[in-house]
Amino acid sequence: MLDIRVEKTKTPKPLPGKDNPLKFGTIFTDHMFLMDYEEGKGWHDPRIVPYQPLQLEPSAMVFHYGQEMFEGLKAYKTEDGRTLLFRPDKNIERANRTNRRLCIPEIPEEDFLQALKAIVKIDEAWIPTKEGTSLYIRPFVIATDPFLGVRPSHKYLFIIILSPVGAYYPEGLNPVKIWIEDEYVRAVKGGIGEAKTGGNYVASLKSQVKAHDEGYSQVLWLDGVHRKYIEEVGAMNIFFKINGTIKTPKLNGSILPGVTRDTTIRLCKEWGIPTEECLISIDDIYESYQNNTLEEVFGTGTAAVISPVGQLRWGDHIMKVQGGGIGPISQRLYDTITGIQLGKIKDDHNWTVEV
Ligand SMILES: *Cc1c(COP(=O)(O)O)cnc(C)c1O
């Protein structure tokens, strides 16, 4: 058990008003959780303090060598006033997988969960209740050793901040247009693609800007070796329904193992839909499009939960899916997952954890 010291803010901020659209990632709550690590001492001094700027040495290693892990999950308010987290154990497990890959010391799972619950409890009043809204939770670790030179840091800071967020798609599920990237790559097997870390995102910016300029909202990555096999989208995993079968790229070392991906696979299998994790080439997708067997495409991720894909652009080819609209599986998954998260649908899997 952590002995968490709590220093409450003396100047609470006004809560966002009912009509605030809560644009994703722009508003932060009154408090944050911090815990230090030092070699020889381990993780120590867990504390909740007012949300404020950090003081770091300009030589802090994270600024120069990118040693950083982050996670993303949400807290939801149910109609009867309970606060629920969705599968936090999966995020904690993944955080420590990322930590191991990046030579960051692991955080004991029970301490991590205790910290999540404690910070969410303190700022519980910030959880919005309007349809589709939630409290986004961002745990992360940065290397703080003041040192220039490449080696694992000897000091770290574990931080959790919270942000009330609106519905990802204010008008309900909204199909996105996706650009298939065949010039740049995001990650390769043996690299850090399966770790949740900033480095993967900086590698993606160039093509994201290009895709935006062309009117596409996200990039679909192909594998870094053959530029042929589908990997994932920006911050989402990707699913295709082809001729009645749901397919998603199997985890191969360069794809982020999404919690929503895992939830989606389990639900689809339980619903009796043939579901496969397999190698999917872009040529297969184009062929199924030409044969009219590409029935649905959707992305999965914590932020938007399910993102139906209405259009894919691959070089000169434009593939329209579901007439650019929302497919029935996408809708059913969205309704079921958000229903469980909000406590409206019975949680047979024990996926939710009460704060
Ligand atoms: C976080 C993330 C996802 C989605 O994972 P979830 O656990 O479902 O939110 C997918 N791809 C990348 C690159 C990510 O960082």
Side-chain angles (χ1 to χ4, degrees):
M1 276 283 279
L2 295 177
D3 184 14
I4 303 173
R5 175 166 64 82
V6 178
E7 181 197 333
K8 283 215 178 172
T9 181
K10 295 195 179 64
T11 52
K13 294 176 272 196
L15 297 175
K18 284 259 176 297
D19 296 325
N20 191 315
L22 302 176
K23 192 171 173 318
F24 196 93
T26 56
I27 301 171
F28 299 95
T29 65
D30 275 333
H31 299 92
M32 62 182 176
F33 174 89
L34 298 176
M35 183 160 68
D36 293 302
Y37 179 94
E38 211 177 307
E39 218 168 70
K41 241 176 136 176
W43 289 107
H44 62 277
D45 197 13
R47 56 206 186 271
I48 288 173
V49 297
Y51 181 92
Q52 62 192 286
L54 300 171
Q55 274 212 331
L56 293 171
E57 301 257 356
S59 54
M61 291 183 78
V62 64
F63 296 136
H64 309 278
Y65 311 109
Q67 200 188 5
E68 182 261 0
M69 169 289 284
F70 77 92
E71 267 302 326
L73 68 163
K74 285 174 171 176
Y76 306 83
K77 204 66 166 168
T78 65
E79 266 170 11
D80 57 358
R82 291 174 303 140
T83 298
L84 300 179
L85 303 176
F86 185 71
R87 307 189 78 185
D89 50 310
K90 297 292 282 181
N91 293 91
I92 294 170
E93 193 187 299
R94 184 172 66 195
N96 278 330
R97 271 208 307 279
T98 299
N99 283 342
R100 286 195 292 276
R101 177 65 182 83
L102 302 181
C103 298
I104 296 171
E106 288 181 47
I107 299 162
E109 291 185 8
E110 58 282 8
D111 294 349
F112 201 133
L113 185 61
Q114 189 193 342
L116 285 175
K117 287 181 174 180
I119 185 66
V120 169
K121 194 87 198 166
I122 289 250
D123 281 338
E124 206 168 20
W126 285 81
I127 307 177
T129 52
K130 215 160 132 184
E131 174 92 34
T133 63
S134 57
L135 185 70
Y136 185 77
I137 308 171
R138 168 56 57 86
F140 60 110
V141 174
I142 52 173
T144 54
D145 214 348
F147 175 70
L148 298 184
V150 178
R151 59 152 170 79
S153 178
H154 297 155
K155 287 179 164 178
Y156 298 87
L157 195 54
F158 173 39
I159 308 174
I160 307 175
I161 55 174
L162 307 173
S163 173
V165 294
Y168 207 81
Y169 302 111
E171 288 87 41
L173 271 188
N174 214 356
V176 294
K177 288 166 69 183
I178 292 215
W179 175 277
I180 301 175
E181 177 61 70
D182 54 10
E183 183 185 356
Y184 300 107
V185 301
R186 170 187 174 272
V188 290
K189 193 170 164 175
I192 55 170
E194 64 183 350
K196 207 165 173 79
T197 183
N200 289 322
Y201 281 86
V202 76
S204 76
L205 292 179
K206 188 89 183 161
S207 22
Q208 193 186 309
V209 169
K210 183 174 71 176
H212 275 192
D213 289 347
E214 300 281 348
Y216 289 76
S217 64
Q218 305 226 27
V219 172
L220 176 65
W221 299 101
L222 301 177
D223 79 281
V225 177
H226 308 94
R227 313 277 172 98
K228 174 175 172 168
Y229 299 103
I230 309 275
E231 298 240 301
E232 62 172 306
V233 179
M236 298 192 291
N237 295 109
I238 186 91
F239 286 75
F240 301 89
K241 180 158 169 268
I242 301 172
N243 208 10
T245 298
I246 302 268
K247 297 186 181 198
T248 193
K250 69 169 181 235
L251 301 177
N252 61 356
S254 58
I255 297 173
L256 202 284
V259 178
T260 323
R261 173 186 183 277
D262 183 77
T263 304
T264 295
I265 293 170
R266 289 187 46 188
L267 287 176
C268 287
K269 285 186 175 167
E270 285 171 20
W271 292 340
I273 306 166
T275 303
E276 292 173 10
E277 297 174 67
C278 52
L279 209 55
I280 306 167
S281 75
I282 182 60
D283 307 285
D284 293 345
I285 296 298
Y286 190 60
E287 200 186 305
S288 64
Y289 167 74
Q290 287 188 307
N291 298 338
N292 278 320
T293 53
L294 183 59
E295 293 156 2
E296 255 183 82
V297 182
F298 55 90
T300 65
T302 296
V305 188
I306 300 291
S307 270
V309 175
Q311 186 179 311
L312 291 161
R313 162 119 176 231
W314 179 43
D316 295 333
H317 305 301
I318 290 181
M319 299 176 242
K320 269 221 160 141
V321 193
Q322 278 283 334
I326 301 162
I329 307 275
S330 311
Q331 188 72 53
R332 186 175 177 193
L333 281 164
Y334 181 82
D335 294 342
T336 305
I337 298 172
T338 57
I340 296 171
Q341 289 168 335
L342 288 165
K344 286 184 184 163
I345 295 180
K346 194 159 162 285
D347 177 19
D348 292 325
H349 304 85
N350 282 322
W351 279 337
T352 54
V353 171
E354 197 168 334
V355 169

